[in-house]
């Protein structure tokens, strides 16, 4: 069963556009993944060249200039999302200026398309590091990465302690000191954040999500989800899926 849950979880991270409800445009997932520092998912979403992205509007009669305009729009939106996620203004806009200047020097659409994933992945990588900016020790940083990579499984303090070669009690105290919350609370919050994405961006039902993310039961998942969000998983999907369908009109 654990193998199946891992497979489903990996599918959520790696699926292409068929994972998205048609005719949903995956712009929100794209920007949210960068904001969350999900480098793996951003890499997948950037696999197709920018020039081949569906739905690119015509902003110029010149193909190269048209793609440059789209690149600038995308970069500006990426910077804005990252600022919302906690990146400093100077860092976000400095990186934006750097890549826009690089794009301006491109002389072929292929060059723009190659630059696009580099820009997106660099922002995502910086956001991934940003989520650990209050962490001082290597062991806690390793724990955080381990948790993100194993949200499909039941993660225990004992398992984490063995992973980083620390005593369980010491690890628990160190984690609370550096992250500001207990290990179990941190894991629970990350699973719930992933559940939110799955409710909006996938066709998985609540029971399937509960199983994939290794919640003890669907009822427990529903109870915890409601406690943290004020909504049931079904109501959350209805509210935010409708919002994403009407509000997503940007560029990828």
């Amino acid at each position: 069963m654990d193998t199946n849950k891992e497979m489903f979880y990996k599918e959520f991270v790696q699926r292409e556009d068929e994972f998205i409800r048609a005719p949903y445009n995956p712009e929100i997932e794209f920007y949210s993944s960068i904001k969350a520092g999900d480098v793996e998912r951003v890499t997948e979403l950037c696999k197709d060249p920018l020039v081949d992205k569906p739905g690119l509007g015509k902003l110029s009669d010149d193909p190269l200039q048209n793609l440059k305009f789209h690149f600038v729009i995308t970069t500006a939106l990426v910077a804005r999302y990252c600022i919302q996620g906690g990146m400093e203004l100077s860092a976000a806009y400095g990186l934006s200026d750097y890549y826009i200047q690089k794009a301006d020097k491109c002389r072929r659409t292929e060059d723009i398309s190659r630059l696009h994933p580099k820009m997106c992945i660099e922002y995502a990588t910086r956001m991934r590091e940003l989520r650990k900016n209050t962490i001082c020790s290597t062991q806690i940083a390793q724990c955080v990465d381990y948790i993100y990579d194993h949200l499909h499984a039941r993660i225990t303090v004992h398992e984490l302690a063995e992973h980083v070669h620390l005593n369980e009690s010491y690890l628990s105290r160190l984690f609370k000191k550096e992250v500001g919350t207990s290990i179990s609370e941190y894991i629970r919050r990350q699973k719930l954040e992933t559940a939110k994405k799955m409710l909006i961006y996938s066709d998985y039902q609540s029971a399937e999500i509960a199983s994939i993310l290794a919640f003890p039961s669907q009822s427990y998942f529903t109870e915890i989800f409601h406690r943290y969000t004020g909504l049931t998983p079904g109501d959350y999907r209805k509210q935010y899926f409708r919002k994403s369908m009407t509000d997503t009109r940007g560029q990828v």
Side-chain angles (χ1 to χ4, degrees), residues 15-122:
R15 272 188 210 182
E16 291 299 328
D17 290 345
E18 66 265 20
F19 181 76
I20 310 300
R21 290 172 180 265
Y24 173 67
N25 197 318
E27 294 139 4
I28 289 295
E29 186 193 11
F30 171 76
Y31 293 115
S32 296
S33 296
I34 293 176
K35 179 181 176 180
D38 190 343
V39 177
E40 185 175 2
R41 182 58 181 154
V42 172
T43 301
E44 286 293 321
L45 291 171
C46 289
K47 188 167 64 175
D48 293 331
L50 178 62
V51 69
D52 295 331
K53 291 288 183 182
L56 290 182
K58 185 177 181 181
L59 304 178
S60 172
D61 290 331
D62 178 73
L64 176 61
Q65 191 61 47
N66 186 62
L67 203 60
K68 284 184 178 182
F69 284 145
H70 282 290
F71 183 91
V72 170
I73 293 169
T74 301
T75 305
L77 287 172
V78 166
R80 184 182 303 171
Y81 266 75
C82 289
I83 290 168
Q84 292 174 354
M87 183 179 286
E88 291 186 0
L89 287 169
S90 58
Y93 288 133
L95 201 57
S96 173
D97 291 345
Y98 169 77
Y99 276 104
I100 290 174
Q101 289 171 15
K102 292 274 287 185
D104 187 50
K105 295 177 181 177
C106 291
R107 295 294 175 261
R108 300 181 303 168
T109 57
E110 294 86 348
D111 297 333
I112 300 287
S113 287
R114 279 194 292 266
L115 188 62
H116 177 254
K118 292 180 180 179
M119 178 271 294
C120 297
I121 292 169
E122 180 164 0

